[in-house]
Amino acid sequence: MAPTIHEPSQAAGDVKLSLEDEITELLKQRIMVLDGGMGTMIQQHKLEEDDFRGEEFKNHMKSLKGNNDLLSITQPDIIYKIHCDYLFAGADFIETNTFSSTSVAQADYGMEHLAYRLNKVSAELARKAADNVTAKTGIKRYVAGAVGPTNKTLSVSPSVERPDYRNITFEELVETYTEQTKGLLDGGVDVLLVETIFDTANAKAALFAIDKLFEEKYETRPIFISGTIVDKSGRTLSGQTGEAFVISVSNANPLCIGLNCALGATEMRPFIEAIGKSTTSYILCYPNAGLPNTFGGYDETPELTARHLKEFAMDGLVNIVGGCCGTTPAHIREIAEAVKHCKPRVPPSSVFQDYMLLSGLEPFRIGPYTNFVNIGERCNVAGSRKFAKLIMTGNYEEALSIAKAQVEMGAQVLDINMDEGMLDGKSAMARFCKLIASEPDIARVPLCIDSSNFAVIEAGLKCCQGKCIVNSISLKEGEEEFLERGRIIRRFGAAVVIMAFDEEGQATETEHKIQVCTRAYNLLVSKVGFNPQDIIFDPNILTIGTGMEEHNMYGINFMKATKLIKETLPGARVSGGLSNLSFSFRGMEVIREAMHGVFLYHAIKDGMDMGIVNAGNLPVYDDIDKELLELCENLIWNRDPEATDKLLLYAQNHTKGGKKVVQTDEWRFLPVEERLEYSLIKGIEKYVVEDTEEARSNHEKYTRPLHVIEGPLMNGMKVVGDLFGAGKMFLPQVIKSARVMKKAVGYLIPFMEKEREEMMAASGSTEETDPYQGTVVLATVKGDVHDIGKNIVAVVMGCNNFRVIDLGVMTPCDKILRAAVENKADFIGLSGLITPSLDEMIHVAKEMERLGMKTPLLIGGATTSRTHTAVKIAPRYSCPVVHVLDASRSVVVCSQLLDENVREEYFEEITEEYEDIRQDHYDTLKDRRFWSLEQARGKGLHIDWLSHPKPVRPTFVGSRVFDDYDLHKLVDYIDWKPFFDVWQLRGKYPNRGYPKIFKDKTVGEEAKNVFKDAQKLLNTLIDNKKIQAKGLVGFWPAQSVGDDIHVYAEDVMPRSGEPVAKFHGLRQQVEKDSSSTDPYYCLSDFVAPLQSGVPDYIGLFAVACFGAEELSKEFEKHYDDYNSIMVKALADRLAEAFAEELHHRVRRELWGYDCREQLEASDMHKVRYEGIRPAPGYPSQPDHTEKLSMWNLAGIEEKTGIQLTESLAMTPAAAVSGLYFSSPKSTYFAVGKITKEQVQDYAFRKRVSTAEIEKWLGPILGYDDTE
């Protein structure tokens, strides 16, 4: 079935849309469809050798069977028919039969000379099919030129013995892809699809070739890019994660990016979601027909594949869907039909807007809250004698160990420099980069390709699949060369360091530095099209302390220039080579390290983002000897003309041979607690075991080994965290501290295990009995490598008899959730230190909700907060989400959530607390961003009413009145918590709410007394019929029309005639955070649209307790204020109980849409039922005037006596009213602030003045209505 297509409109006289704009318009309107597997369909023809050869190649020297691409020449009718079958099945795009039409791949058949012809002929064949079907159907179809990965790889060696060997070069791939692309473009393709990317380096070669052709000869065409994930690890064959892959190819500005092949749709989902969050491009997804069976075939039916992809579509994940291996026209037909009515994914306007994005095997994002980035300097032949010697002697494998050590010591980017006169820099750079690619522990971080020889830089870039940094280029040789090199770097997709040099030489003064950097910035951004976020300036850290007066300001000039660059050149970063600063003190390592530590401390404050440093040798600012610290400060800030001499004198008196003289370890005479703390802060492993044993042996002070961890060890780690957060300690020192901590804990573990066994024996436990208090799965979330806090939590929980499943760092969501299910976890604990981890935590919470999980979620880590957890994470998951401040709290939280006696109470406490936090947060927001009303409506909840459960017809249409409702029925439905709130009696956890408040030490006794009095008065009111409950419930046929709900008198289809009432809705407009996929709700979303043809209904109710006001006044007459308040409080509780009990009856019998419901009253108070009962004047519909429509429709005042005051308050005061919605998709929400545009639209729909509406909606106006 062909897709329903809204062709892009084009008024007469309009400029013709480009292909990219034309396709973009369609992608905004609907989900488009790609064809299915070409190979799958060719196999069905059971072709033999002669069929592949045809007449032209019947005497060819090699076997040609299996060369499917050749069939475009030898069997064009078969290929043409396959194209047509897919197009008539509903495909918008067909791929050319050119997956292997490169000279590299065709060499296997001895047909490399045919590469250009194969591509041109195949493109012409697909073009013919697309144009013919377009003419027959009137629906335009497009041809995608398929650019496959070839059968060779740039990132992986084919030889186990030679990890640096490659059987193809970057240049060879660029050449073969250039030839292929020319053929495709000459044959008339609309789109270039670089697909099935298992090695991103290969894809970068293809994109390099394409970009060059567009620049030199051909009109630009849209580019689609599709990677392939080889297994559930979420990585390509060459080891990259999906997010790193996106970053690596982002310079190509693809119109669409996504995944295909290797996996079925179900397995592909988490990776498609991750890619969608990482790009502003449209998302493409064409999976296999499930996973292959034991015979290599595919068993997934068209219906099942379509169902999976429809789920993707319904969840807003995709823009183009199709099929890969195992899919057929039948699959495409089902897919096209399944997504026909689904809204396409709306790409975010920006992702990581203020971030520099780099990648190795994993993404590395440098943003506003990223700590200083350490660029490891030891892999530099000019800066490390050891490294230089290893490279010069050809010992590259040993040189790799230096790179690995740099990464382990905290280098987040690895600088590689091979500039040595006696070295072939190009081959050395290429060889070392290839070796790094074979070491995942090193290759996970981005590389900084560092050379003064641009040819060496190019050699390095050609060997890297990730997004690198180039260090460096400058204006030294003039603008023309600068621009040419900038274009090459952009084509490779790298970021660039620009040195503050120009034709006049090195910039030393602040003004000159800024002039050079500003000029370079403008050239790159305006003439090369460089992303400003990919520009790094090195304003020259020059040597100070030389004895020459003109050098004294060099440190200050760098910091001033840094500050001005950050203020005037948006997006640019600042870096620098730190070792230059102290070069005049070479050989005096203590002095140099101190100078570096002091300089960085101040430069970072002025905006220095990164630096080439020895990641393991940076002193903590506060640890520098005070005398040395002052001398360094004076030198750097040029405060003392004799600073250099004084530093030299200090060096003579305090150091020996460039290192500190071994002093008496005075700290070793401190108490053991202080020694352990000192070891942790300083990262000293030498004495930690003996000190730990000394503390453990002190049984009077530390009765259990656990107490050593909870005491001095954790105290030391807290200081480490504080120093790191204050910028006085860098990541390498933190890692050292963690190692010391692990060593101490490792020593204690056998003692704790022995203690646990003794405790089990004493309690009579057997091996068959689960010895653990509970099971917790801990993980540092994907994208984050920091696990110190998590490890401490794991230790503490393990020591408190919890079974801990520690998944380590960089843990994908699906792995976390799978582990939780497999291990029957009682809790999931997520940890993270960097800001992007917060978004990943939100994603995990959303996935847990989607999968219907009930496991409590614990949130921790330095970047997390109670506010963020309450505002961003908790709303995504309906089960407990708790921010755990520190390790010591983790056991308390878990114990409370395990205790059935306090669990619900504790969850309620957290829920209320987080609701207060959310409210406070939103109240303090000043700058809100709004979607237009049209955009908000486009992002509303669009229910697929054809697959949605058919709305149930109520048992009657119209209203039913309850004149004197039995109050005895309501008592069990009373929620007593608000009653105690009235009396301002609030117990402290765990003694909150009814009945635990009675145990509270502070308010418990008083709560008992009040409750006793309430029971007495309640019995009197009911037994003596002092209070009367009246109510009404009604149901009517209803359909939504836009943001309104039309109500009809007669239950006939189609709905005809004028509606008897209209309920007007307000829609959420405040822009939600970028990680949210929640719709922008309006109450009308929960009712079937009029045009859907699905009959739906709406209900309403109004209930009240009469007589309380009169009784209250009687009490007042007798000066009994206590009972005057008490009777009102009880009437309110009875009215709410009436609403609860009546809604229960509505669900089960009066409407009957959930006849099987079995809920206790406490569950109802927690809104665990299906459907909602929102009230006008409350968050989901803040407009009180909607009550008038309710009262008029049902005759509420006439039938019940419940009236509306001038301000539309209900009287009696103990009254509740609202609407009933039955859809299982319905949910409570807050409209929030809205714009004047919506207010005017709402006033027009209600046919009242804007000023009148503004009066009623004052609290939610997102603008000043007095202006």
Side-chain angles (χ1 to χ4, degrees), residues 176-198:
T176 195
Y177 281 129
T178 299
E179 183 181 31
Q180 179 176 39
T181 304
K182 282 181 179 179
L184 292 170
L185 292 172
D186 290 343
V189 301
D190 301 303
V191 170
L192 289 170
L193 171 56
V194 183
E195 67 169 345
T196 321
I197 299 164
F198 58 78

Side-chain angles (χ1 to χ4, degrees), residues 99 221 319 568 697 703 947:
F99 185 81
R221 295 283 193 278
N319 301 100
T568 60
S697 300
T703 55
S947 61

Side-chain angles (χ1 to χ4, degrees), residues 346-577:
V346 179
S349 56
S350 65
V351 290
F352 304 110
Q353 186 171 4
D354 297 322
Y355 286 76
M356 167 177 278
L357 303 177
L358 303 171
S359 62
L361 296 183
E362 296 163 5
F364 181 50
R365 306 178 180 101
I366 304 170
Y369 305 105
T370 305
N371 286 325
F372 180 78
V373 176
N374 294 305
I375 303 177
E377 68 169 357
R378 295 286 91 188
C379 294
N380 184 331
V381 293
S384 168
R385 289 194 189 98
K386 181 180 179 182
F387 183 77
K389 183 178 179 181
L390 291 169
I391 295 296
M392 296 296 290
T393 56
N395 194 350
Y396 281 77
E397 287 74 15
E398 183 64 26
L400 273 181
S401 66
I402 294 178
K404 188 172 184 179
Q406 287 279 281
V407 175
E408 289 174 348
M409 293 299 291
Q412 294 142 297
V413 178
L414 201 59
D415 184 80
I416 313 293
N417 183 294
M418 297 292 180
D419 287 358
E420 214 288 335
M422 300 299 294
L423 196 62
D424 180 351
K426 287 174 60 177
S427 62
M429 177 66 79
R431 183 179 178 188
F432 195 66
C433 287
K434 290 173 185 175
L435 285 167
I436 283 175
S438 68
E439 292 286 343
D441 289 341
I442 308 172
R444 66 181 177 82
V445 304
L447 299 185
C448 178
I449 308 299
D450 183 357
S451 180
S452 56
N453 183 340
F454 196 71
V456 174
I457 286 174
E458 288 186 277
L461 290 173
K462 290 172 183 176
C463 301
C464 299
Q465 63 173 321
K467 181 177 177 182
C468 302
I469 297 174
V470 164
N471 185 22
S472 61
I473 61 173
S474 75
L475 284 160
K476 185 165 52 177
E477 305 297 333
E479 284 190 9
E480 186 176 345
E481 184 173 283
F482 178 78
L483 289 171
E484 176 59 25
R485 289 178 173 180
R487 290 188 184 99
I488 292 171
I489 293 166
R490 186 199 61 78
R491 189 167 286 146
F492 274 107
V496 65
V497 175
I498 300 156
M499 298 295 295
F501 283 79
D502 62 5
E503 298 87 340
E504 297 176 13
Q506 187 175 50
T508 59
E509 302 301 319
T510 303
E511 185 178 354
H512 191 194
K513 293 175 190 282
I514 296 302
Q515 287 174 352
V516 173
C517 293
T518 302
R519 179 181 164 207
Y521 180 91
N522 291 333
L523 286 170
L524 284 180
V525 173
S526 61
K527 292 195 175 183
V528 180
F530 232 90
N531 182 347
Q533 301 287 343
D534 288 339
I535 296 174
I536 306 164
F537 287 107
D538 184 342
N540 304 328
I541 298 178
L542 302 174
T543 305
I544 59 174
T546 63
M548 301 174 66
E549 188 176 344
E550 58 267 33
H551 297 171
N552 292 348
M553 291 291 290
Y554 281 173
I556 296 171
N557 290 346
F558 178 90
M559 285 188 263
K560 284 183 177 179
T562 295
K563 193 170 184 181
L564 286 168
I565 287 169
K566 300 308 286 281
E567 290 173 354
T568 60
L569 304 178
R573 264 64 184 184
V574 174
S575 181

Side-chain angles (χ1 to χ4, degrees), residues 1112 1114-1126:
S1112 177
E1114 283 295 318
F1115 284 121
E1116 286 177 359
K1117 285 181 183 178
H1118 295 90
Y1119 307 103
D1120 189 352
D1121 292 334
Y1122 178 77
N1123 278 311
S1124 175
I1125 296 171
M1126 180 73 77

Side-chain angles (χ1 to χ4, degrees), residues 910-927:
I910 291 292
T911 302
E912 288 184 18
E913 179 184 344
Y914 284 5
E915 182 58 43
D916 290 342
I917 292 171
R918 281 192 288 274
Q919 193 58 51
D920 290 344
H921 170 78
Y922 291 125
D923 287 346
T924 57
L925 289 179
K926 295 180 180 178
D927 298 322

